[in-house]
Amino acid sequence: MYTKMESDLNRFRKIVRGKIKSSLRKFISSGDLIGRQGNKQVTIPIPRIDLPRFTFGDNQQQGVGQGKGEVGEDTSEGQPQPGEGEAGDQEGNHDLEVEVSMEELAKILGEELALPNIEDKGRENLEDKEYKYSGVLKQGPESLHHFRRTYKEALKRSIAMGNYDPKNPIIIPIKEDKRYRSYTVINKPVANAVIIYMMDVSGSMGDEQKEIVRLTSFWLDTWLSTQYKGIERRYIIHDATAKVVDQDTFYRTKESGGTLISSAYRTAVKMIEDEFKPAEWNIYLFHFSDGDNWSGNDTTECMKILEEKILPISNLFCYGQVESRYGSGQFLRDLVKHFGDNHDKVTLAQIKDRDAIMESLKIFLGTGK
Amino acid sequence: MTQKDTSLTPELREEAERLAEAAKKAGLDCFPTIFEVVDYQQLNEIAAYGGFPTRYPHWRWGMEYERLSKSYTYGLSLIYEMVINTNPCYAYLLRANSMVYQKTVMAHVYGHCDFFKNNYWFSKTNRKMLDQMANHSSTIRKIMNDVGHDEVEAFIDTCLALDNLIDIHGQFKSPVKKKSLEEMESEAKRIPGKLQSKKYMDQYVNPADFLEAQKVKIQHEADQQKNFPERPERDVLKFLIDYAPISTWQKRVLEIIRDEAYYFAPQGQTKIINEGWATYWHSKMMTQLAPLNESEIVDYCDHYAGVVATHGGRLNPYKLGVELLRHVEKRWDEGKFGIDYINCDDPKVRREWNTQAGLGRQKIFEVRKFHNDITFIDEFLDEDFCHQTKMFIYDVDPKTGRQVISSRDFSKIKQQLLSQITNFGQPLIDIVDANFKNRGELLLSHQFSGVEIKHDFAIETLKCLHRIWNRPVHIETWSEDSKKRISWDGQTSSIDKA
């Protein structure tokens, strides 16, 4: 039995991919996808792809059923189970749930936001070899014998020699006809990356602000994970003092009190010095805050740390300012004043609300660093 | 991919032969039936293709396959069996099924197969549809090579939006005869509307008021002839093929879609009776004609209970079909038919009525030959049956938003059921004017029967229609108690009072 489902399935997947792409903004700002991650897969709910028809509308609520019960009683002992019994042809009205690998999702994100691939900092000494069977050679081990090519050669030869008889198509390959698969070595740089997330958890950062940070980091993670093989994540929260925490705590903690941003930067610098040798690691720092810093002095201190210690060793420093009712937003202005709008390694974004997440992703990742 | 052997195991083959023999003895008359044993992936594939692995390339098979595979993986549903209406008849068995299931499924398949062969509504279907589908597929592939995959697929999508606009009874109507030249001449000689008669009879055969009425009628007919189409045309696809300004390859694609729509139409028309018939016979064979042994019967019963179960009070076509058939069989066995029985008002007499007529088997064979779901239910669903099988009408309680039983009244139930299955529960739509407003616009009309059509879907469908007709398209329907006309002119949609 010849089956050709694969090509139809691919056509369908292509359409699904288009659907995901077109509603990416919605996914990004709603956070629907977070928590749907499996190991390497995300389950994405998309509306059933319907072909339009002339059909009856929703006012067709009546119907005939069977079973016990008095007039006025509830009919639903349970939802009807589709497909029970034998070949059912009723179509359920469910959303389609499609599984997409994180990689695929990142690719879609990349295409939609037109993100450039990240240029590695370039450490040629750290390389891994990969073998790819792409060529054909005349010599090789029998285990790599390429039957089709060999027979093609043999056929060519026998036709050329004039001893090919279409009525009795016997082709015997000789040694010269033999072809073998050959591999080429591809040198792949091993890229390691660490993402250090820092967040202001002072009293002025509310739940909505944290949710925005959470969503933004999810997508940053998704993209960066596809760019590097091994990726490490570290989380730092700060108010007047900074703490290294795990991912869970990072999103949940709510502290009150003042804000000293420099404390977080200092902790990050220490972490890098201890754990991640800048020569071997691509280092990303993301800092989210509502822009309130305790004092001008501390801000000056922050700039100093950034300039002298952080920027020279990192790929990228991103500052995302989340709008909150209490935040003054001063820190962003200070950063702009200090580094200008087009600094090589500093990208700044203002994330007003959920809808702005997509734009900020573009700003953060659009540099290809 | 390695091809697995799909032929029956010797054990299954023996069983298939035994069951075929039993079916034949019982009076079933099947096409030769070829069973293929496949694994769940193959079965899902075949099911996604609607039973025909040779169909033209289209993404929706992929979608269906994905859905089936997913629900199989999650254990939500399991297709046991798949049978297609061809000669020879092909049926697919799931490799992983137990022997009891395989036997049951084979018996069930013989039921379907007999139905396909003998039911009147299937009489016009192409029994070489496997080949036909393969031809369609190669035609479409060829077109795709010429004009491009995307364009053809998009056009198929457009056509599929309209593929329910066929005339399911059209195949059984005799074609409208064109008048010959002689007939037209002899008609012209006569006084319009005057019937032929001897002279002395003329004043009786053609009285003055009759001639007057004839004149009006002829005038009306003449007016109609100015209409295009002359009378409402339900086979919208045929009309488009004949008259729409589309290219040759588009015409070809449309023809293929129409052809396949007609092929599948009888299956939609006979869902209840067909499944009922197959279930009746598999149950009969498994328990009486070719009975299972003691170790198998419990498994069988468990399976059967699943087949005829109702879920959440929903109607199950297998259950309704088989119970109604058994009801008919019982009535004719006991002689509960004829004028005496129908006029009998005494419930006690009616209940105990038994003339030992023994015509049940004969009657249900007759039913399987002539009926489709609508006529089957219309003729045989009676009050006794309705109460015995606890049928009801459900409706949404406006206060709570929950679905509740709203009535157990027999006549309401029957009416509701019939309207539910008329035209497979799809709106009846005709082309009434292809030169609407004298501007070549296309006007459809929805025969309103109480349920509105879905507006957003209607507009999307009109867009598809517009892509084929290339001029503004309209559909007349009813909504909120007034006649409305939904239109699409290529740029904007509008809903007007008509």
Side-chain angles (χ1 to χ4, degrees):
Chain A
M1 205 170 4
Y2 168 67
T3 57
K4 56 191 177 56
M5 185 49 83
E6 211 162 309
S7 67
D8 289 327
L9 204 52
N10 284 338
R11 295 294 298 179
F12 169 60
R13 295 228 166 103
K14 218 171 125 189
I15 292 172
V16 167
R17 210 166 172 275
K19 289 258 166 188
I20 296 174
K21 218 166 145 179
S22 63
S23 38
L24 193 66
R25 184 176 286 276
K26 201 188 83 202
F27 288 132
I28 288 178
S29 53
S30 73
D32 273 354
L33 299 187
I34 307 176
R36 284 175 170 273
Q37 298 155 269
N39 203 358
K40 279 181 172 164
Q41 302 258 312
V42 219
T43 314
I44 301 183
I46 58 167
R48 201 187 154 79
I49 304 173
D50 266 320
L51 288 165
R53 296 253 159 89
F54 288 121
T55 54
F56 287 125
D58 296 333
N59 63 344
Q60 187 188 27
Q61 293 169 329
Q62 282 192 345
V64 176
Q66 260 180 317
K68 282 183 262 186
E70 296 293 314
V71 170
E73 270 178 36
D74 233 329
T75 61
S76 42
E77 303 153 26
Q79 287 305 305
Q81 315 250 304
E84 184 78 25
E86 287 169 52
D89 65 347
Q90 257 95 25
E91 294 180 4
N93 243 345
H94 310 291
D95 278 356
L96 273 177
E97 293 216 325
V98 287
E99 267 159 29
V100 176
S101 66
M102 293 302 285
E103 228 162 285
E104 181 74 10
L105 187 63
K107 226 160 121 193
I108 295 171
L109 177 76
E111 277 170 28
E112 188 61 18
L113 296 179
L115 297 180
N117 278 327
I118 286 175
E119 296 163 29
D120 200 16
K121 277 206 286 192
R123 272 155 300 253
E124 287 120 45
N125 52 343
L126 275 172
E127 273 183 347
D128 198 4
K129 287 193 179 82
E130 197 174 272
Y131 303 97
K132 205 166 184 183
Y133 287 89
S134 54
V136 172
L137 285 180
K138 286 192 174 184
Q139 289 88 30
E142 276 305 303
S143 59
L144 294 179
H145 189 185
H146 197 315
F147 284 94
R148 186 200 287 259
R149 294 289 282 267
T150 302
Y151 273 88
K152 228 172 169 177
E153 288 303 319
L155 180 64
K156 268 198 261 177
R157 182 181 45 80
S158 64
I159 290 172
M161 287 169 71
N163 52 18
Y164 174 74
D165 176 10
K167 283 191 191 122
N168 184 26
I170 293 175
I171 296 159
I172 302 160
I174 59 171
K175 191 163 179 292
E176 281 72 25
D177 297 329
K178 287 207 171 174
R179 293 293 182 274
Y180 301 89
R181 288 169 213 275
S182 79
Y183 59 80
T184 39
V185 180
I186 300 164
N187 288 327
K188 274 207 141 177
V190 184
N192 283 321
V194 56
I195 312 177
I196 299 173
Y197 292 105
M198 294 173 278
M199 180 164 50
D200 180 357
V201 288
S202 62
S204 52
M205 290 281 284
D207 285 342
E208 178 64 15
Q209 280 75 26
K210 275 192 205 132
E211 184 62 20
I212 289 172
V213 172
R214 198 165 84 97
L215 293 172
T216 314
S217 349
F218 170 81
W219 291 97
L220 289 171
D221 246 23
T222 305
W223 175 249
L224 290 173
S225 308
T226 59
Q227 299 286 321
Y228 295 104
K229 262 193 190 154
I231 201 158
E232 291 279 331
R233 298 168 188 84
R234 290 292 183 274
Y235 299 90
I236 297 171
I237 52 172
H238 72 88
D239 46 12
T241 55
K243 260 186 279 186
V244 180
V245 294
D246 60 19
Q247 189 183 11
D248 221 34
T249 325
F250 183 73
Y251 295 120
R252 293 227 180 112
T253 313
K254 188 173 172 81
E255 310 267 328
S256 55
T259 318
L260 285 175
I261 295 177
S262 66
S263 66
Y265 291 179
R266 257 188 231 111
T267 314
V269 170
K270 186 160 183 307
M271 183 187 281
I272 295 169
E273 281 169 358
D274 291 351
E275 284 184 72
F276 306 102
K277 246 176 48 207
E280 287 168 20
W281 291 85
N282 290 289
I283 296 164
Y284 291 86
L285 295 113
F286 292 98
H287 180 215
F288 301 97
S289 157
D290 58 1
D292 247 351
N293 205 4
W294 184 253
S295 69
N297 281 347
D298 191 65
T299 303
T300 320
E301 179 74 18
C302 288
M303 302 301 161
K304 214 172 123 198
I305 300 172
L306 274 176
E307 188 129 35
E308 289 172 6
K309 300 217 169 126
I310 292 182
L311 295 181
I313 55 169
S314 58
N315 288 41
L316 197 62
F317 172 81
C318 299
Y319 174 72
Q321 185 156 292
V322 196
E323 202 124 304
S324 91
R325 251 193 297 168
Y326 313 102
S328 64
Q330 182 58 36
F331 197 65
L332 182 74
R333 285 195 284 275
D334 292 336
L335 280 167
V336 173
K337 214 164 103 193
H338 196 90
F339 293 103
D341 268 335
N342 291 315
H343 191 275
D344 194 23
K345 284 185 175 173
V346 182
T347 52
L348 310 167
Q350 212 166 352
I351 316 172
K352 275 207 191 92
D353 50 25
R354 288 174 177 228
D355 288 337
I357 294 175
M358 193 147 150
E359 208 41 51
S360 71
L361 289 172
K362 201 167 171 167
I363 296 172
F364 286 158
L365 300 171
T367 56
K369 295 285 176 205
Chain B
M1 195 177 86
T2 52
Q3 291 294 315
K4 282 183 197 145
D5 185 10
T6 57
S7 57
L8 290 175
T9 60
E11 195 187 9
L12 282 171
R13 190 173 321 119
E14 200 178 293
E15 204 52 50
E17 278 161 14
R18 202 170 68 92
L19 287 167
E21 198 54 42
K24 203 173 157 193
K25 234 186 233 165
L28 295 186
D29 167 29
C30 306
F31 289 127
T33 308
I34 297 169
F35 288 101
E36 304 218 29
V37 187
V38 295
D39 61 27
Y40 73 93
Q41 267 166 336
Q42 289 169 311
L43 191 61
N44 282 343
E45 252 181 62
I46 296 163
Y49 282 125
F52 292 87
T54 54
R55 286 185 98 168
Y56 59 82
H58 193 262
W59 58 266
R60 77 180 193 281
W61 320 127
M63 172 167 81
E64 192 54 25
Y65 178 71
E66 182 108 343
R67 194 179 69 78
L68 288 170
S69 326
K70 201 150 283 172
S71 66
Y72 180 86
T73 323
Y74 295 151
L76 292 176
S77 78
L78 223 174
I79 302 168
Y80 291 112
E81 146 266 349
M82 184 84 223
V83 48
I84 56 174
N85 162 35
T86 49
N87 180 16
C89 189
Y90 281 86
Y92 303 93
L93 299 175
L94 185 59
R95 192 182 297 277
N97 278 351
S98 71
M99 195 61 192
V100 182
Y101 278 15
Q102 305 289 37
K103 287 184 197 172
T104 312
V105 167
M106 284 194 278
H108 193 85
V109 164
Y110 283 124
H112 278 309
C113 193
D114 167 77
F115 196 87
F116 289 149
K117 186 173 174 185
N118 294 292
N119 183 266
Y120 178 68
W121 302 95
F122 279 94
S123 61
K124 307 275 182 187
T125 54
N126 183 352
R127 312 292 189 174
K128 295 281 173 224
M129 202 58 187
L130 262 175
D131 302 345
Q132 182 75 357
M133 293 270 189
N135 290 345
H136 289 169
S137 169
S138 73
T139 306
I140 288 198
R141 273 163 210 280
K142 222 172 127 220
I143 296 172
M144 280 175 168
N145 283 341
D146 292 348
V147 267
H149 198 128
D150 291 342
E151 195 175 339
V152 178
E153 198 168 64
F155 187 72
I156 292 176
D157 288 354
T158 305
C159 297
L160 287 174
L162 309 170
D163 82 344
N164 57 346
L165 302 180
I166 56 171
D167 184 358
I168 48 176
H169 301 298
Q171 309 172 76
F172 301 98
K173 288 179 194 158
S174 52
V176 182
K177 238 173 56 189
K178 286 231 169 89
K179 283 175 189 154
S180 70
L181 204 63
E182 285 163 36
E183 272 176 309
M184 287 191 345
E185 270 172 12
S186 73
E187 245 172 51
K189 268 186 232 157
R190 280 189 283 140
I191 299 169
K194 201 170 166 180
L195 298 177
Q196 274 181 332
S197 65
K198 296 271 183 329
K199 209 171 179 189
Y200 61 91
M201 284 293 283
D202 198 46
Q203 55 172 320
Y204 302 104
V205 176
N206 293 313
D209 55 341
F210 171 75
L211 282 180
E212 202 53 43
Q214 282 295 86
K215 244 185 221 164
V216 174
K217 195 176 149 203
I218 287 163
Q219 184 58 42
H220 182 68
E221 273 170 13
D223 284 348
Q224 262 194 342
Q225 272 178 12
K226 280 182 212 152
N227 266 352
F228 175 60
E230 267 177 44
R231 48 184 80 80
E233 175 64 59
R234 184 152 298 162
D235 193 343
V236 176
L237 291 187
K238 177 88 174 85
F239 187 86
L240 292 175
I241 290 167
D242 289 346
Y243 301 109
I246 48 178
S247 63
T248 318
W249 71 262
Q250 288 174 322
K251 216 165 262 192
R252 191 71 198 100
V253 170
L254 200 49
E255 274 165 10
I256 286 172
I257 302 288
R258 177 172 174 268
D259 198 32
E260 298 194 358
Y262 271 110
Y263 172 78
F264 286 113
Q267 304 190 10
Q269 271 174 293
T270 57
K271 179 91 190 139
I272 294 168
I273 185 172
N274 196 351
E275 290 303 352
W277 182 253
T279 308
Y280 175 90
W281 283 105
H282 91 233
S283 122
K284 195 119 241 160
M285 280 200 252
M286 291 296 101
T287 55
Q288 292 170 27
L289 304 174
L292 294 163
N293 61 37
E294 301 82 341
S295 67
E296 295 170 318
I297 200 75
V298 173
D299 276 349
Y300 165 75
C301 291
D302 183 45
H303 173 250
Y304 185 80
V307 171
V308 296
T310 42
H311 294 284
R314 294 302 162 100
L315 221 53
N316 172 349
Y318 292 80
K319 179 180 161 74
L320 177 60
V322 74
E323 283 178 349
L324 192 51
L325 273 172
R326 287 196 183 127
H327 179 70
V328 171
E329 186 182 30
K330 189 155 178 275
R331 268 182 63 192
W332 261 259
D333 270 343
E334 293 172 354
K336 286 180 176 170
F337 58 90
I339 193 78
D340 290 342
Y341 177 74
I342 287 164
N343 287 343
C344 175
D345 286 335
D346 186 345
K348 189 161 178 287
V349 179
R350 272 177 83 94
R351 209 167 34 243
E352 286 165 7
W353 190 290
N354 194 346
T355 61
Q356 310 281 343
L359 294 170
R361 184 62 67 83
Q362 189 192 329
K363 184 68 189 175
I364 59 171
F365 268 95
E366 186 187 308
V367 168
R368 83 93 154 79
K369 193 161 181 63
F370 296 114
H371 284 274
N372 61 23
D373 284 347
I374 295 178
T375 59
F376 181 45
I377 283 166
D378 192 25
E379 185 147 351
F380 299 109
L381 190 107
D382 53 27
E383 197 157 357
D384 293 339
F385 180 80
C386 189
H387 292 319
Q388 275 163 27
T389 56
K390 304 196 183 73
M391 298 176 95
F392 59 74
I393 293 187
Y394 59 79
D395 204 345
V396 172
D397 186 340
K399 271 180 240 153
T400 60
R402 307 184 66 149
Q403 218 171 56
V404 294
I405 298 174
S406 67
S407 171
R408 285 196 181 268
D409 181 66
F410 164 65
S411 60
K412 277 189 195 157
I413 291 173
K414 187 157 174 176
Q415 196 189 356
Q416 173 69 32
L417 189 57
L418 285 172
S419 79
Q420 229 168 292
I421 57 178
T422 300
N423 204 32
F424 331 135
Q426 284 170 354
L428 290 167
I429 289 166
D430 301 294
I431 292 182
V432 288
D433 195 349
N435 189 23
F436 184 54
K437 298 185 199 160
N438 200 20
R439 286 159 46 126
E441 300 181 6
L442 194 63
L443 177 66
L444 306 184
S445 168
H446 164 216
Q447 254 186 45
F448 188 68
S449 57
V451 186
E452 293 175 15
I453 59 172
K454 221 169 154 181
H455 281 191
D456 50 344
F457 267 53
I459 290 167
E460 288 306 310
T461 315
L462 285 175
K463 284 181 189 171
C464 292
L465 190 57
H466 178 266
R467 248 169 262 151
I468 293 175
W469 188 249
N470 255 319
R471 291 283 304 149
V473 285
H474 316 268
I475 182 165
E476 273 178 359
T477 181
W478 286 72
S479 154
E480 288 155 9
D481 297 325
S482 67
K483 204 168 182 187
K484 295 269 167 63
R485 188 165 60 231
I486 309 174
S487 310
W488 173 257
D489 68 359
Q491 259 98 43
T492 50
S493 66
S494 58
I495 300 174
D496 304 311
K497 274 222 163 86

